[in-house]
C-alpha cells in the first residue's frame, strides 16, 4: 500500500474539517512613519480579525476549543503567546485557549493545518487559526539565519533568503527579465482584483483605539509598475551576500555568499532580485474559522469549504526556498489528486524565482496561479500570509465557481507546508 493510498484511507476514517469563514486585515506598509498600521500593537491587529470572525458568525466564544496562531518573529511586542493575548483583547470568553507557533513564513498555513488536524481527529470541534506579523516592529534579539549556530552551519550552511533566491535563479538559468515580467504581472493582477472588489468579502478595516479608521485598503501595491520600470532598479542583495557576521561565540563567521558556496563551490551567484520582484514588507493579520461537521450542523453553520489534505516537506536548507514543489507533490498524492485537478493555486511570491520556478516545474496552467496577484504586489506579513492565502483561494473558488485550491509557500530552513481545500 503506497503512502498516498494509506493517507487517503486514514482521511476517509476521519471527520471533515470545515472552513466556515475567513477574514483578514488590509496589508499596511511595514515601516514606521510610512505604514498605516505601524503605530498599533500586534495584538490589536490579531484581535481585529478575531473579533470580526466571531461577530460575522455569531460565535459563542466559550465554545472555541483553541486558537492556533502563527507569528514568526516572537520577540518584543510579538512575544508572549499572541494567539491567547489577542483573543482576550478581542473580548473572547476566557475559556477560549490559545497557542502561537513559528514555522517562519509557513506559520499561517501550519497553524491552519494544525487546527484542521485537531478537528479531523475528533479532539476539537471549533478551532480558529491564523497569524499576525508586524514587520514594522524592530526585531531586537533576532539573529540573521547564518548566525545561529556555527556547528550547524558546518553541517547545513544557511544563508540569507534573498541571496538564496539569487542562487536558485542562477542555478536554474532564470533571467532577471523573466523575473521582472513575473513581478509586473503580479502587480497587474492585484490592480484588477482590487478594482473589481475581489478581496472585499474577507477584508476587515483596522480601527484605531478611538474608533477612527487606521486602514481599510491595501497600502502596498504599485499598480503602475511595468517590466520596464522594474528593470531600472538595482539588485538588492550583492552587499548582503558579502556581509560577514560574528558567530554567537564571538568568532568570525562566513559571509552569506560563502555559506552557499560551502555547498555549491562552483556557483557564481548572479544577483537578479530587487525590491520590485521580491515580496513586500508589510503588517497584517488573518483568521480562519474551522469546525467539525457535528458542530456546524448543531449551530446552523454553513461551510464554505472542507480541508482535503495537508502536508509538510523539508528540502535543502542551503538553497532554502525550493520545498514548495515537493510539498505540492506530497499533498496532491495524499489527496489522490493531480495538478490538473487544481482550479486555483496560491504559491507565495516570497521572491519571483520561487513562484516562477514552481510554475515551470509543476507545468500547470499559469492562468490558475496567483490570479489576484501575490506578495510581490500585495506584501508578505510573514506569520499571517499563509492564512491570508487560504482565504484568498476560498474567495476565488467561490468567485469562479470552482472546486479545488492548493496553497503552499517556502519557509526558512528549507521547508514548505501545503494544504488543499475543496469548496462546498
Amino acid at each position: 500500500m503506497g503512502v498516498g493510498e494509506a493517507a487517503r484511507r486514514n482521511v476517509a476514517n476521519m471527520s471533515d474539517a470545515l472552513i466556515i469563514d475567513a477574514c483578514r486585515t488590509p496589508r499596511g506598509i511595514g515601516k514606521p512613519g510610512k505604514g498605516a498600521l505601524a503605530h498599533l500593537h500586534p495584538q490589536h491587529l490579531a484581535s481585529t480579525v478575531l473579533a470580526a470572525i466571531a461577530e460575522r458568525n455569531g460565535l459563542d466564544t466559550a465554545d472555541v476549543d483553541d486558537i492556533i496562531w502563527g507569528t514568526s518573529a516572537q520577540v518584543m511586542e510579538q512575544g508572549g503567546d499572541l494567539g491567547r493575548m489577542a483573543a482576550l483583547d478581542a473580548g473572547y470568553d476566557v475559556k477560549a485557549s490559545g497557542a502561537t507557533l513559528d514555522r517562519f513564513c509557513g506559520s499561517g498555513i501550519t497553524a491552519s493545518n494544525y487546527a484542521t488536524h485537531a478537528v479531523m481527529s475528533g479532539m476539537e470541534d471549533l478551532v480558529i487559526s491564523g497569524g499576525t506579523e508586524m514587520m514594522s516592529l524592530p526585531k531586537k534579539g533576532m539573529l540573521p539565519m547564518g548566525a545561529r549556530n556555527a556547528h550547524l552551519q558546518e553541517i547545513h550552511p544557511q544563508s540569507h533568503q534573498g541571496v538564496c533566491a539569487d542562487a536558485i535563479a542562477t542555478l536554474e538559468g532564470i533571467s532577471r527579465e523573466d523575473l521582472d515580467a513575473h513581478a509586473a504581472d503580479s502587480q497587474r493582477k492585484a490592480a484588477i482584483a482590487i478594482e473589481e472588489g475581489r478581496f472585499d468579502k474577507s477584508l476587515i478595516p483596522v480601527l484605531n483605539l478611538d474608533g477612527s479608521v487606521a486602514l481599510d485598503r491595501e497600502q502596498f501595491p504599485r499598480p503602475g509598475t511595468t517590466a520596464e520600470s522594474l528593470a531600472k532598479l538595482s539588485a538588492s542583495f550583492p552587499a548582503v551576500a558579502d556581509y560577514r557576521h560574528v558567530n554567537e561565540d564571538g568568532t568570525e563567521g562566513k559571509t552569506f555568499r560563502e555559506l552557499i558556496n560551502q555547498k555549491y563551490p562552483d556557483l557564481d551567484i548572479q544577483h537578479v532580485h530587487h525590491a520590485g520582484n521580491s515580496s513586500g514588507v508589510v503588517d497584517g493579520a488573518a483568521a480562519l474559522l474551522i469546525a467539525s461537521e457535528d458542530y456546524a450542523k448543531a449551530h446552523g453553520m454553513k461551510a464554505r469549504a472542507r480541508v482535503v489534505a495537508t502536508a509538510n516537506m523539508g528540502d535543502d536548507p542551503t538553497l532554502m526556498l525550493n520545498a514548495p514543489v515537493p510539498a505540492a507533490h506530497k499533498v496532491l498524492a495524499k489527496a489522490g489528486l493531480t495538478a490538473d485537478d487544481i482550479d486555483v493555486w496560491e504559491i507565495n511570491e516570497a521572491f519571483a524565482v520561487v513562484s516562477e520556478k514552481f510554475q515551470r516545474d509543476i507545468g500547470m496552467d499559469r492562468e490558475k496561479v496567483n490570479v489576484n496577484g501575490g506578495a510581490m504586489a500585495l506584501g508578505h506579513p510573514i506569520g499571517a500570509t499563509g492564512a491570508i492565502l487560504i482565504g484568498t483561494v476560498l474567495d476565488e473558488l467561490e468567485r469562479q465557481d470552482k472546486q479545488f485550491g492548493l496553497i503552499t509557500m517556502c519557509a526558512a530552513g528549507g521547508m514548505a507546508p501545503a494544504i488543499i481545500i475543496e469548496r462546498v
Side-chain angles (χ1 to χ4, degrees):
M1 181 168 58
V3 173
E5 183 183 351
R8 290 191 295 277
R9 182 174 296 181
N10 289 336
V11 169
N13 293 328
M14 296 179 182
S15 60
D16 276 338
L18 303 177
I19 300 178
I20 306 300
D21 199 10
C23 66
R24 67 174 180 86
T25 68
R27 282 160 280 199
I29 292 172
K31 295 182 180 179
K34 293 185 178 180
L37 303 176
H39 64 291
L40 297 171
H41 197 287
Q43 290 173 11
H44 184 74
L45 290 196
S47 70
T48 294
V49 292
L50 286 172
I53 211 152
E55 181 180 354
R56 283 159 56 122
N57 296 280
L59 289 186
D60 179 352
T61 58
D63 286 350
V64 176
D65 292 307
D66 210 358
I67 297 157
I68 306 177
W69 217 245
T71 302
S72 183
Q74 293 183 36
V75 295
M76 307 299 287
E77 291 94 330
Q78 291 193 160
D81 191 355
L82 189 56
R84 169 64 170 176
M85 296 303 116
L88 295 175
D89 192 45
Y92 275 44
D93 192 285
V94 295
K95 294 178 182 177
S97 187
T100 303
L101 58 82
D102 170 19
R103 199 194 295 273
F104 302 111
C105 296
S107 300
I109 292 181
T110 299
S112 300
N113 287 356
Y114 287 1
T116 293
H117 302 163
V119 171
M120 292 181 73
S121 71
M123 293 294 104
E124 311 282 15
D125 283 306
L126 188 66
V127 184
I128 296 173
S129 67
T132 301
E133 203 82 41
M134 291 195 67
M135 299 181 75
S136 57
L137 291 174
K139 304 302 188 293
K140 295 179 181 178
M142 295 293 286
L143 293 169
M145 192 61 59
R148 297 184 184 278
N149 183 329
H151 174 67
L152 176 59
Q153 291 290 27
E154 291 302 315
I155 305 169
H156 292 295
Q158 297 177 60
S159 184
H160 182 281
Q161 288 192 341
V163 182
C164 292
D166 286 342
I168 293 168
T170 304
L171 285 166
E172 296 291 328
I174 300 176
S175 69
R176 170 162 172 170
E177 289 74 19
D178 285 347
L179 298 177
D180 284 353
H182 185 29
D185 196 47
S186 182
Q187 293 280 359
R188 179 189 66 81
K189 291 176 179 177
I192 293 171
I194 291 169
E195 182 179 356
E196 294 185 355
R198 296 183 190 177
F199 300 140
D200 291 355
K201 185 173 185 177
S202 297
L203 208 63
I204 304 299
V206 179
L207 305 181
N208 293 308
L209 292 177
D210 64 4
S212 61
V213 175
L215 186 65
D216 59 2
R217 58 179 176 80
E218 300 289 351
Q219 190 181 19
F220 188 80
R222 298 171 176 80
T225 300
T226 64
E228 291 74 22
S229 64
L230 292 174
K232 298 176 182 178
L233 299 178
S234 298
S236 295
F237 303 110
V240 175
D242 294 320
Y243 170 76
R244 188 177 302 280
H245 64 266
V246 176
N247 292 323
E248 290 179 301
D249 62 4
T251 60
E252 185 178 86
K254 295 180 179 179
T255 68
F256 290 123
R257 188 188 309 278
E258 288 170 345
L259 287 166
I260 291 179
N261 287 146
Q262 180 178 322
K263 187 165 184 179
Y264 299 90
D266 298 325
L267 183 61
D268 180 16
I269 300 172
Q270 303 300 302
H271 295 287
V272 292
H273 286 89
H274 50 75
N277 63 18
S278 303
S279 55
V281 175
V282 295
D283 300 328
L288 298 167
L289 180 61
I290 300 172
S292 68
E293 295 174 276
D294 288 345
Y295 187 92
K297 183 177 180 180
H299 293 82
M301 291 179 168
K302 180 176 174 58
R304 297 175 62 190
R306 73 178 186 93
V307 176
V308 179
T310 71
N312 298 302
M313 180 60 74
D315 199 80
D316 179 7
T318 299
L319 292 178
M320 199 178 295
L321 310 176
N322 281 341
V325 170
H329 286 309
K330 185 176 182 180
V331 77
L332 285 167
K334 285 189 172 187
L337 300 172
T338 70
D340 291 337
D341 294 316
I342 302 301
D343 301 299
V344 179
W345 300 74
E346 278 291 335
I347 315 304
N348 187 43
E349 296 172 353
F351 299 91
V353 74
V354 176
S355 48
E356 178 64 26
K357 181 181 184 299
F358 187 98
Q359 292 175 80
R360 295 185 184 196
D361 288 356
I362 298 290
M364 82 284 276
D365 180 354
R366 286 178 176 254
E367 294 303 311
K368 297 180 178 180
V369 183
N370 298 357
V371 298
N372 296 312
M376 291 185 289
L378 296 160
H380 174 25
I382 309 294
T385 301
I388 291 174
L389 297 186
I390 295 170
T392 297
V393 166
L394 178 58
D395 288 344
E396 189 61 22
L397 288 173
E398 292 174 345
R399 188 184 75 85
Q400 293 189 28
D401 192 20
K402 297 294 186 180
Q403 185 176 9
F404 292 112
L406 189 154
I407 305 97
T408 188
M409 60 199 306
C410 61
M415 299 182 289
I419 182 172
I420 294 175
I421 66 173
E422 180 182 18
R423 185 175 67 88
V424 298

mmCIF file of all heavy atoms in Angstrom, residues 27-39 136 214-215 217 219-220 222 281 283:
data_model
loop_
_atom_site.group_PDB
_atom_site.id
_atom_site.type_symbol
_atom_site.label_atom_id
_atom_site.label_comp_id
_atom_site.label_asym_id
_atom_site.label_seq_id
_atom_site.Cartn_x
_atom_site.Cartn_y
_atom_site.Cartn_z
ATOM 1 N N ARG A 27 -3.197 44.987 4.174
ATOM 2 C CA ARG A 27 -1.769 44.978 4.487
ATOM 3 C C ARG A 27 -1.220 46.394 4.407
ATOM 4 O O ARG A 27 -1.353 47.068 3.384
ATOM 5 C CB ARG A 27 -1.032 44.045 3.522
ATOM 6 C CG ARG A 27 -1.192 42.587 3.889
ATOM 7 C CD ARG A 27 -0.920 41.643 2.753
ATOM 8 N NE ARG A 27 -2.066 41.556 1.851
ATOM 9 C CZ ARG A 27 -2.268 40.568 0.988
ATOM 10 N NH1 ARG A 27 -1.385 39.579 0.893
ATOM 11 N NH2 ARG A 27 -3.340 40.556 0.221
ATOM 12 N N GLY A 28 -0.638 46.833 5.539
ATOM 13 C CA GLY A 28 -0.052 48.163 5.597
ATOM 14 C C GLY A 28 1.448 48.094 5.376
ATOM 15 O O GLY A 28 2.092 47.098 5.722
ATOM 16 N N ILE A 29 2.011 49.122 4.814
ATOM 17 C CA ILE A 29 3.459 49.171 4.591
ATOM 18 C C ILE A 29 4.175 48.964 5.923
ATOM 19 O O ILE A 29 3.848 49.595 6.929
ATOM 20 C CB ILE A 29 3.856 50.523 3.956
ATOM 21 C CG1 ILE A 29 3.302 50.601 2.526
ATOM 22 C CG2 ILE A 29 5.369 50.707 3.951
ATOM 23 C CD1 ILE A 29 3.466 51.966 1.883
ATOM 24 N N GLY A 30 5.143 48.073 5.925
ATOM 25 C CA GLY A 30 5.787 47.669 7.173
ATOM 26 C C GLY A 30 6.966 48.533 7.567
ATOM 27 O O GLY A 30 8.055 48.003 7.831
ATOM 28 N N LYS A 31 6.743 49.829 7.623
ATOM 29 C CA LYS A 31 7.803 50.751 8.002
ATOM 30 C C LYS A 31 7.237 51.836 8.912
ATOM 31 O O LYS A 31 6.219 52.461 8.578
ATOM 32 C CB LYS A 31 8.433 51.404 6.768
ATOM 33 C CG LYS A 31 9.167 50.430 5.858
ATOM 34 C CD LYS A 31 9.801 51.153 4.681
ATOM 35 C CE LYS A 31 10.544 50.176 3.778
ATOM 36 N NZ LYS A 31 11.159 50.866 2.610
ATOM 37 N N PRO A 32 7.861 52.068 10.060
ATOM 38 C CA PRO A 32 7.400 53.140 10.943
ATOM 39 C C PRO A 32 7.403 54.475 10.209
ATOM 40 O O PRO A 32 8.332 54.782 9.459
ATOM 41 C CB PRO A 32 8.425 53.132 12.074
ATOM 42 C CG PRO A 32 9.007 51.757 12.053
ATOM 43 C CD PRO A 32 9.019 51.347 10.611
ATOM 44 N N GLY A 33 6.348 55.247 10.407
ATOM 45 C CA GLY A 33 6.247 56.538 9.752
ATOM 46 C C GLY A 33 5.622 56.483 8.378
ATOM 47 O O GLY A 33 5.138 57.495 7.876
ATOM 48 N N LYS A 34 5.622 55.327 7.745
ATOM 49 C CA LYS A 34 5.021 55.159 6.418
ATOM 50 C C LYS A 34 3.825 54.214 6.448
ATOM 51 O O LYS A 34 2.896 54.358 5.660
ATOM 52 C CB LYS A 34 6.056 54.636 5.424
ATOM 53 C CG LYS A 34 7.180 55.609 5.113
ATOM 54 C CD LYS A 34 8.094 55.063 4.026
ATOM 55 C CE LYS A 34 9.196 56.058 3.674
ATOM 56 N NZ LYS A 34 10.092 55.521 2.601
ATOM 57 N N GLY A 35 3.870 53.253 7.326
ATOM 58 C CA GLY A 35 2.814 52.253 7.377
ATOM 59 C C GLY A 35 1.624 52.704 8.190
ATOM 60 O O GLY A 35 1.772 53.230 9.302
ATOM 61 N N ALA A 36 0.433 52.471 7.665
ATOM 62 C CA ALA A 36 -0.791 52.914 8.328
ATOM 63 C C ALA A 36 -1.104 52.100 9.574
ATOM 64 O O ALA A 36 -1.936 52.509 10.393
ATOM 65 C CB ALA A 36 -1.960 52.837 7.353
ATOM 66 N N LEU A 37 -0.455 50.941 9.739
ATOM 67 C CA LEU A 37 -0.701 50.095 10.907
ATOM 68 C C LEU A 37 0.469 50.082 11.879
ATOM 69 O O LEU A 37 0.380 49.487 12.955
ATOM 70 C CB LEU A 37 -0.978 48.650 10.453
ATOM 71 C CG LEU A 37 -2.132 48.460 9.475
ATOM 72 C CD1 LEU A 37 -2.226 46.997 9.051
ATOM 73 C CD2 LEU A 37 -3.449 48.924 10.078
ATOM 74 N N ALA A 38 1.552 50.738 11.511
ATOM 75 C CA ALA A 38 2.811 50.594 12.250
ATOM 76 C C ALA A 38 2.741 51.114 13.676
ATOM 77 O O ALA A 38 3.560 50.725 14.516
ATOM 78 C CB ALA A 38 3.946 51.283 11.493
ATOM 79 N N HIS A 39 1.782 51.974 13.979
ATOM 80 C CA HIS A 39 1.682 52.540 15.331
ATOM 81 C C HIS A 39 0.873 51.648 16.278
ATOM 82 O O HIS A 39 0.793 51.936 17.475
ATOM 83 C CB HIS A 39 1.022 53.923 15.265
ATOM 84 C CG HIS A 39 -0.395 53.892 14.768
ATOM 85 N ND1 HIS A 39 -0.718 53.588 13.466
ATOM 86 C CD2 HIS A 39 -1.580 54.098 15.416
ATOM 87 C CE1 HIS A 39 -2.037 53.636 13.321
ATOM 88 N NE2 HIS A 39 -2.578 53.936 14.499
ATOM 89 N N SER A 136 6.937 46.099 10.675
ATOM 90 C CA SER A 136 7.386 47.443 11.027
ATOM 91 C C SER A 136 8.050 47.483 12.400
ATOM 92 O O SER A 136 8.706 48.467 12.746
ATOM 93 C CB SER A 136 6.202 48.410 11.000
ATOM 94 O OG SER A 136 5.177 47.971 11.875
ATOM 95 N N ALA A 214 -7.825 53.217 10.779
ATOM 96 C CA ALA A 214 -6.379 53.202 10.561
ATOM 97 C C ALA A 214 -6.060 52.801 9.132
ATOM 98 O O ALA A 214 -5.234 53.422 8.459
ATOM 99 C CB ALA A 214 -5.694 52.250 11.538
ATOM 100 N N LEU A 215 -6.737 51.741 8.642
ATOM 101 C CA LEU A 215 -6.510 51.281 7.267
ATOM 102 C C LEU A 215 -7.682 50.410 6.837
ATOM 103 O O LEU A 215 -8.081 49.487 7.544
ATOM 104 C CB LEU A 215 -5.207 50.465 7.182
ATOM 105 C CG LEU A 215 -4.767 50.037 5.779
ATOM 106 C CD1 LEU A 215 -4.423 51.247 4.923
ATOM 107 C CD2 LEU A 215 -3.574 49.094 5.847
ATOM 108 N N ARG A 217 -7.845 49.549 3.223
ATOM 109 C CA ARG A 217 -7.497 49.136 1.853
ATOM 110 C C ARG A 217 -6.048 48.685 1.834
ATOM 111 O O ARG A 217 -5.282 48.957 2.757
ATOM 112 C CB ARG A 217 -7.664 50.314 0.882
ATOM 113 C CG ARG A 217 -6.812 51.503 1.268
ATOM 114 C CD ARG A 217 -6.924 52.686 0.333
ATOM 115 N NE ARG A 217 -6.153 53.819 0.822
ATOM 116 C CZ ARG A 217 -4.828 53.945 0.680
ATOM 117 N NH1 ARG A 217 -4.136 52.996 0.053
ATOM 118 N NH2 ARG A 217 -4.187 54.993 1.148
ATOM 119 N N GLN A 219 -2.324 48.872 1.185
ATOM 120 C CA GLN A 219 -1.472 50.052 1.116
ATOM 121 C C GLN A 219 -0.239 49.849 0.239
ATOM 122 O O GLN A 219 0.334 50.829 -0.244
ATOM 123 C CB GLN A 219 -1.025 50.456 2.530
ATOM 124 C CG GLN A 219 -0.342 51.815 2.585
ATOM 125 C CD GLN A 219 0.112 52.193 3.984
ATOM 126 O OE1 GLN A 219 0.250 51.336 4.860
ATOM 127 N NE2 GLN A 219 0.339 53.475 4.213
ATOM 128 N N PHE A 220 0.144 48.606 0.002
ATOM 129 C CA PHE A 220 1.439 48.359 -0.632
ATOM 130 C C PHE A 220 1.457 48.388 -2.159
ATOM 131 O O PHE A 220 2.470 48.787 -2.753
ATOM 132 C CB PHE A 220 1.988 47.010 -0.156
ATOM 133 C CG PHE A 220 3.404 46.751 -0.594
ATOM 134 C CD1 PHE A 220 4.477 47.323 0.075
ATOM 135 C CD2 PHE A 220 3.667 45.956 -1.693
ATOM 136 C CE1 PHE A 220 5.789 47.105 -0.345
ATOM 137 C CE2 PHE A 220 4.970 45.714 -2.121
ATOM 138 C CZ PHE A 220 6.025 46.297 -1.439
ATOM 139 N N ARG A 222 1.617 48.836 -6.175
ATOM 140 C CA ARG A 222 2.036 49.911 -7.079
ATOM 141 C C ARG A 222 1.488 49.576 -8.464
ATOM 142 O O ARG A 222 2.187 48.976 -9.293
ATOM 143 C CB ARG A 222 3.563 50.029 -7.088
ATOM 144 C CG ARG A 222 4.151 50.395 -5.733
ATOM 145 C CD ARG A 222 5.677 50.282 -5.744
ATOM 146 N NE ARG A 222 6.277 50.710 -4.492
ATOM 147 C CZ ARG A 222 6.347 49.959 -3.378
ATOM 148 N NH1 ARG A 222 5.846 48.739 -3.381
ATOM 149 N NH2 ARG A 222 6.913 50.423 -2.287
ATOM 150 N N VAL A 281 7.383 44.260 2.264
ATOM 151 C CA VAL A 281 7.469 44.308 3.721
ATOM 152 C C VAL A 281 6.213 45.006 4.260
ATOM 153 O O VAL A 281 6.028 46.210 4.055
ATOM 154 C CB VAL A 281 8.748 45.046 4.158
ATOM 155 C CG1 VAL A 281 8.796 45.205 5.669
ATOM 156 C CG2 VAL A 281 9.983 44.308 3.644
ATOM 157 N N ASP A 283 2.618 44.877 7.284
ATOM 158 C CA ASP A 283 1.969 44.435 8.513
ATOM 159 C C ASP A 283 0.599 43.862 8.162
ATOM 160 O O ASP A 283 -0.071 44.365 7.250
ATOM 161 C CB ASP A 283 1.761 45.603 9.478
ATOM 162 C CG ASP A 283 3.068 46.284 9.881
ATOM 163 O OD1 ASP A 283 4.096 45.595 9.946
ATOM 164 O OD2 ASP A 283 3.035 47.506 10.127
#
